[in-house]
Amino acid sequence: DTEVTQTPKHLVMGMTNKKSLKCEQHMGHRAMYWYKQKAKKPPELMFVYSYEKLSINESVPSRFSPECPNSSLLNLHLHALQPEDSALYLCASSSYRGNTEAFFGQGTRLTVV
Amino acid sequence: AQSVTQLGSHVSVSEGALVLLRCNYSSSVPPYLFWYVQYPNQGLQLLLKYTTGATLVKGINGFEAEFKKSETSFHLTKPSAHMSDAAEYFCAFEANQAGTALIFGKGTTLSVSS
């Protein structure tokens, strides 16, 4: 199984809602990532978890809250988002940092209304 | 600063023609370099990677890339384009250094005409 599974595929939420994005992999990878991608732009790194510990936070606003409950799961909790947060959110995993490719999920298309 | 630059935001070729997508990197430490492809409304798929060793790297779907340290380049090529190659291509870089993560170039849109 070389898949990274993201749910949901599409999400529409209001600015006062709380929602969560989920990501799961069963490749035994110990590094997991959240990226944000706007239309016609490259993915932008948000968070990196190594061995279930947050190792990189790219100055992401606190309305985005990551969580890594175990080595297979990665969540992104969303609260009080703004319309400009609408984007494709991509999860990725790799066996360890550097020297190996990252496997990407299909993404969650988020629309904030 | 460590970075990766893709030259040309849009490349158009005819079916059967050579595909050349350009990528240059800037790094003070040995780089790991990757090419990813993204089809509309999908995630990213790895085409090929360079870490160490052989500088000519072969990937999936007939693509290959050559790491040239003297030119700080990692250009992607395919001898004969196919209609199904039309997509967004990203060159990505990770420094062989603790505390770093994958950084993407701005991307190149490849169009293939019949």
Side-chain angles (χ1 to χ4, degrees):
Chain A
D1 182 4
T2 58
E3 281 192 354
V4 175
T5 303
Q6 290 187 243
T7 55
K9 289 187 172 19
H10 300 275
L11 178 62
V12 179
M13 61 184 291
M15 289 188 284
T16 58
N17 291 159
K18 287 185 181 181
K19 296 287 184 183
S20 296
L21 309 185
K22 297 186 182 299
C23 174
E24 189 170 5
Q25 56 88 14
H26 296 287
M27 294 177 278
H29 290 171
R30 303 311 297 270
M32 296 187 76
Y33 314 79
W34 281 114
Y35 284 85
K36 174 183 178 180
Q37 186 180 27
K38 302 283 275 186
K40 304 296 185 184
K41 297 291 186 183
E44 295 177 8
L45 183 66
M46 300 175 72
F47 303 104
V48 179
Y49 274 83
S50 292
Y51 292 86
E52 295 92 70
K53 293 191 188 311
L54 183 64
S55 60
I56 292 180
N57 177 343
E58 292 288 352
S59 303
V60 179
S62 59
R63 58 186 183 269
F64 295 91
S65 175
E67 178 195 21
C68 191
N70 59 55
S71 60
S72 299
L73 294 174
L74 186 65
N75 298 321
L76 186 63
H77 303 297
L78 315 173
H79 173 54
L81 295 192
Q82 303 297 309
E84 58 264 29
D85 296 321
S86 299
L88 181 68
Y89 288 84
L90 294 164
C91 173
S93 70
S94 62
S95 56
Y96 53 89
R97 298 268 309 284
N99 198 22
T100 66
E101 65 268 33
F103 290 79
F104 282 81
Q106 295 295 294
T108 294
R109 176 71 62 188
L110 174 66
T111 303
V112 181
V113 297
Chain B
Q2 295 156 346
S3 65
V4 61
T5 302
Q6 291 183 242
L7 301 175
S9 59
H10 197 159
V11 171
S12 296
V13 300
S14 300
E15 195 171 22
L18 172 71
V19 175
L20 171 61
L21 305 183
R22 299 176 188 274
C23 174
N24 289 88
Y25 70 91
S26 174
S27 177
S28 57
V29 297
Y32 300 130
L33 294 162
F34 307 83
W35 276 99
Y36 283 86
V37 61
Q38 186 176 33
Y39 298 98
N41 298 312
Q42 294 192 23
L44 279 73
Q45 180 183 14
L46 180 75
L47 283 175
L48 47 80
K49 65 178 180 179
Y50 169 79
T51 52
T52 58
T55 57
L56 182 60
V57 180
K58 293 188 184 300
I60 63 171
N61 301 340
F63 285 94
E64 64 181 37
E66 186 171 9
F67 172 68
K68 292 186 177 180
K69 186 177 179 180
S70 61
E71 299 177 8
T72 61
S73 68
F74 190 57
H75 301 331
L76 182 71
T77 60
K78 182 175 181 178
S80 177
H82 192 274
M83 297 292 286
S84 60
D85 294 327
E88 189 77 14
Y89 291 80
F90 293 100
C91 181
F93 162 98
E94 182 165 356
N96 182 9
Q97 188 175 45
T100 64
L102 201 59
I103 303 299
F104 288 89
K106 291 186 183 300
T108 298
T109 302
L110 176 66
S111 299
V112 182
S113 59
S114 58

